[in-house]
Amino acid sequence: MTYTYPDKNDRLTCELIEREFDGVYWGKSEELVLGQALEKAKSLSDARRKAGQKVQLLDLGCGMGRLFQTFAGIADEITGAEPDPGRFAGAEKEAHRVSDETGTPVTVLNGDASALPDGKQFDLILSSHVMQHITCRMAEDLIKTMAEKLRPDGLLILTTTFTDSSEDRFSGEGWKDGQRWSQYVSREEFDSLFGCEGMLPVRMFSSQSLCTLAENAGLELIQTSRYHYQNHHSAEEDVEANLSGDGRGARDAMYLFRKPRQRLMDGNINYYFSFSIFDEETGLRTDDEGELRSSIRKTFPDAVFDDDPEALEEPLFQQLKIGQDFLHGGGLPFHCFRVLLKNYQLSIGLETKSSAGVRKKAFDVRSSSVFMTVFPESDTVQVCVCLSVKDASPDDYVYFRHVQGNGAKLHNQDGRMISVREIFQEVSSSLNRKVTDVAETYLLEIRQFDRYTRLEDILEKEKTLIYGLMTGDEGWRHVPEHLAEERLINQWGSRDFVRLISFGANSVVINLADSSRAEHYRAGRMDFDHTYYGEMNPYFSMDSQIAGVNHGILFSAELVMVIKTICNRILRRQANYYSGGQGNKLRKEIRKIKAYRGELITTLNRVENLSISEIGELERVLLISQQIDPLIEKIKYLLELLESELDLLYQTSTNRMASFLTVLGLVLAGWQVILAIM
């Protein structure tokens, strides 16, 4: 673009300094903040060079190139861009001088950001007093462009005018009768001043305004330093004011922003829906498993049951069987059968619109499965939708957590767009039973957590991120660490590379199965198994794409959800057992309460007889997280009431029988008297 900077030779700035500031202080104040920027830039430069990389710096809106010399020792190559032809000519001369003196190549382009080569990125970007002189829309676009041109972990050094007000202030500056002139204007008037000959638009940015622009462009604020205070006479005063957070009287500010390196993670996701198909009239049904299977096959002809001959050809059943045989050789705590529903093969194929424009998601679902687990003895069913994802960012996983509740659609193999909840509704309806007491939970297993190789490093440094992954809180970056830490208290882990963290209905498993520690553990198992059993159990070499199969987490989660569903069902139904009955209804009421009491006792036995082994401790963590203990206490109290109610009903029944026998005795005695008289 053709552009002429209105303040030729920076006369307006020079006039401002002469009339309103101490000239010596002005230079020292800027020198101080540049020193802070140089310190951060040097640290980045050293790290890049240590990794064998050349450090590229972009000075966008470089003016006459006055900062080339300052950054020449830090960057290996410098690129300047300046749209004003006169200032560009000066920058070219300075570039040649700096290149000759320092040996650092400096190239200057006559243009704005659009003049930069496509795809080229920089480690350091410098924008010195450019933002305040362009329109609001141009400023927003410029910071997005700088974010795009910045390499991951790169540093943006941005200086601009500052106001300690909560809102930006706009003004126009120029010359009138040989004097510097400045006047506040509206936002619209400010935008109209751009490109007007002799008029310099000046926008005083509030920290909140500028930081919001940067955050929307995907940048993180590292540091803010205010400088050029009207009432200061030394750089030391600037230091004290910045330490105390006092920005009053400061005209300029330097912001250091970092472009976060995209952290990628591999993970498996399970969406659980647990529900009851209990018949309120007939109670527990333990003999209709065949009927349930027939209903499922009728709706899903391609369904594969876990005892079908072809089941072991399915990776899902292979992995579940290996895990179950190793962890629960004696059988699962609840009898169940499973069915894989091959009608569902899911993918994302999602485009998202960010402040920087529309982009295609860089990840997709590498595999998926939907299966149902039926627990006939307790009339409880679970539907599990499983996704396996590779190279997804933290925010991608936050989005996946939202998917269960916000109705977001996934692509199915048949071309349909379908949500997780709609899958649950389709699958549950295949049972032809009334569905009640629906409980939901979410399990995320992270198999590769960015570049981390040590579990303790993740737990120490990524508390807020783990919280965000677990809860789906898109604002996880702004959650205080102490609050996140409180949410991560409920944990379980029996190996130094595995940790389960559970909060409410959400759980995250960090399973660094490819870490050196996990490899060392498997090598030890191999030696042990070869010595005593001849070969290593396949469980230790299994790479499951179903969350929680390793370490028994899936089976424990299923057990806990069964317990929760039964508890919810019992508490929902309790009111039905406090209605009185007369005559023939009394015997039915006793039978009903006895059956109900038996169900309560069975449930409590299953819950309270959990083993104190590892798996039992795991289940205890999940029980606490799901807040099932209070439900159990309610059931215990309800059981006491039922016992009293049952005793009362027995007593009533006994009293009625005694009364009947008494009346019958009196009738017989009367009859004998009548016979005697006759």
Side-chain angles (χ1 to χ4, degrees), residues 269-473:
I269 302 166
N270 290 357
Y271 300 101
Y272 285 106
F273 296 86
S274 183
F275 57 96
S276 173
I277 55 170
F278 185 86
D279 190 305
E280 305 288 346
E281 295 298 324
T282 62
L284 289 168
R285 303 182 306 276
T286 59
D287 58 352
D288 65 347
E289 182 173 321
E291 183 181 340
L292 290 172
R293 288 171 176 262
S294 297
S295 297
I296 296 169
R297 286 194 188 277
K298 185 175 181 180
T299 306
F300 298 102
D302 294 332
V304 178
F305 288 78
D306 55 2
D307 54 359
D308 286 345
E310 64 269 30
L312 288 182
E313 298 177 6
E314 299 291 342
L316 170 73
F317 289 129
Q318 292 172 3
Q319 295 165 13
L320 290 175
K321 185 177 188 307
I322 290 171
Q324 182 175 323
D325 287 349
F326 178 77
L327 297 164
H328 296 277
L332 293 175
F334 285 67
H335 165 65
C336 66
F337 68 86
R338 304 182 194 274
V339 53
L340 173 63
L341 305 171
K342 303 188 73 172
N343 297 59
Y344 302 101
Q345 288 294 327
L346 306 167
S347 62
I348 293 291
L350 175 71
E351 285 190 353
T352 59
K353 183 177 289 186
S354 66
S355 59
V358 177
R359 68 177 179 87
K360 182 81 172 178
K361 282 277 188 181
F363 72 95
D364 203 349
V365 175
R366 61 177 178 175
S367 67
S368 70
S369 58
V370 177
F371 69 94
M372 178 163 43
T373 305
V374 182
F375 303 89
E377 295 177 355
S378 58
D379 289 345
T380 305
V381 182
Q382 289 175 19
V383 174
C384 186
V385 179
C386 307
L387 306 176
S388 182
V389 182
K390 186 174 180 61
D391 290 339
S393 72
D395 286 338
D396 293 333
Y397 283 105
V398 169
Y399 168 76
F400 275 120
R401 180 64 191 94
H402 291 182
V403 165
Q404 186 166 357
N406 67 6
K409 306 287 187 177
L410 305 175
H411 285 286
N412 193 33
Q413 62 180 357
D414 58 9
R416 289 188 300 157
M417 297 294 292
I418 189 168
S419 70
V420 170
R421 191 173 299 278
E422 287 170 340
I423 292 173
F424 157 68
Q425 291 168 348
E426 287 184 359
V427 173
S428 61
S429 64
S430 70
L431 296 170
N432 293 322
R433 298 287 193 279
K434 181 180 178 181
V435 173
T436 58
D437 310 299
V438 179
E440 301 179 26
T441 190
Y442 175 79
L443 176 63
L444 168 63
E445 178 183 28
I446 298 296
R447 299 295 298 268
Q448 179 181 333
F449 202 114
D450 195 32
R451 299 179 182 177
Y452 286 104
T453 59
R454 289 158 44 94
L455 179 63
E456 56 266 34
D457 291 339
I458 299 173
L459 298 173
E460 176 63 28
K461 299 176 183 179
E462 302 289 359
K463 294 183 178 70
T464 56
L465 173 53
I466 296 171
Y467 166 82
L469 295 174
M470 185 166 59
T471 63
D473 184 351

Side-chain angles (χ1 to χ4, degrees), residues 590-621:
I590 292 175
R591 285 199 303 267
K592 188 167 64 172
I593 291 182
K594 285 176 68 177
Y596 188 32
R597 181 185 65 174
E599 186 178 346
L600 289 177
I601 293 172
T602 300
T603 301
L604 289 178
N605 284 339
R606 290 195 184 278
V607 173
E608 296 189 326
N609 288 339
L610 290 177
S611 169
I612 60 173
S613 67
E614 289 179 22
I615 302 302
E617 290 301 315
L618 167 58
E619 289 160 352
R620 174 54 55 186
V621 167

